[in-house]
Amino acid sequence: MPLKADLDAIDWKILRELQHDGRMTNVELSGRVGISAPPCLRRVRRLEETGIIRGYRALLNAPALGLDVVAFCLIGLHHQADAELKTFAERTRGWPIVRDAWMVSGESDFLLHCVASDLGAFQTFVIEELASAPDVDTVRTALTIRRVKDEGLVAFPA
């Protein structure tokens, strides 16, 4: 698969290191990737400006914050016209319990990653918000048991 970005080996090292630890200083990053600090900073800024690095965020421990239920919902709409798909996609932005949402192909139209304080809160969301949303035809839910892998979103070439 061809890359959409012109990246060299140093750029890939920078991305790998920042995906692992986005809080390190530029000096530490430059040492890890084997170049001096000024060109390292220029490369990071270029990766940010071109949108390859979309941002930085803290990874929170949901159970420590009282958010113990993680579930996935597969949503089927009555109609798959562009207007209905866009309307549902926009609606997901207003649901705080939905942390990630994907439009998908196949038997369902959307996959929602949900995080809730408890099973009751999740059930209330599914019944009162999700299943009653206009144009929703089917809702299938899957409660998670435990996370078995937690890697960055991008795998890097060997």
Side-chain angles (χ1 to χ4, degrees):
M1 179 176 79
L3 291 175
K4 295 181 178 182
D6 184 24
L7 303 175
D8 65 14
I10 299 294
D11 292 327
W12 282 108
K13 287 179 184 178
I14 289 170
L15 293 172
R16 182 180 297 114
E17 293 296 334
L18 287 177
Q19 183 170 259
H20 177 71
D21 179 6
R23 290 186 52 148
M24 76 176 71
T25 66
N26 183 59
V27 171
E28 183 178 352
L29 177 61
S30 67
R32 288 186 184 190
V33 301
I35 61 175
S36 64
C40 184
L41 184 58
R42 283 194 297 275
R43 284 173 177 262
V44 170
R45 285 190 177 145
R46 180 179 53 84
L47 293 166
E48 292 169 346
E49 289 166 0
T50 58
I52 292 171
I53 295 176
R54 294 186 305 127
Y56 302 88
R57 62 173 68 168
L59 301 175
L60 306 180
N61 181 339
L65 297 169
L67 300 167
D68 293 320
V69 174
V70 176
F72 291 90
C73 299
L74 286 163
I75 310 303
L77 301 182
H78 287 291
H79 305 97
Q80 289 73 34
D82 192 50
E84 285 83 2
L85 293 168
K86 285 180 179 176
T87 298
F88 185 83
E90 185 60 36
R91 185 171 287 115
T92 66
R93 291 179 181 89
W95 290 327
I97 199 170
V98 176
R99 304 313 304 153
D100 247 336
W102 295 87
M103 187 182 298
V104 296
S105 64
E107 294 181 23
S108 298
D109 298 305
F110 288 89
L111 173 66
L112 309 180
H113 171 212
C114 301
V115 179
S117 57
D118 54 48
L119 188 55
F122 176 67
Q123 289 172 327
T124 298
F125 165 72
V126 169
I127 294 165
E128 295 181 9
E129 298 285 338
L130 199 48
S132 65
D135 207 32
V136 169
D137 181 38
T138 60
V139 176
R140 293 187 334 216
T141 62
L143 294 172
T144 63
I145 296 170
R146 76 173 64 94
R147 175 177 260 162
V148 297
K149 185 174 181 179
D150 184 15
E151 297 291 329
L153 207 54
V154 176
F156 293 95

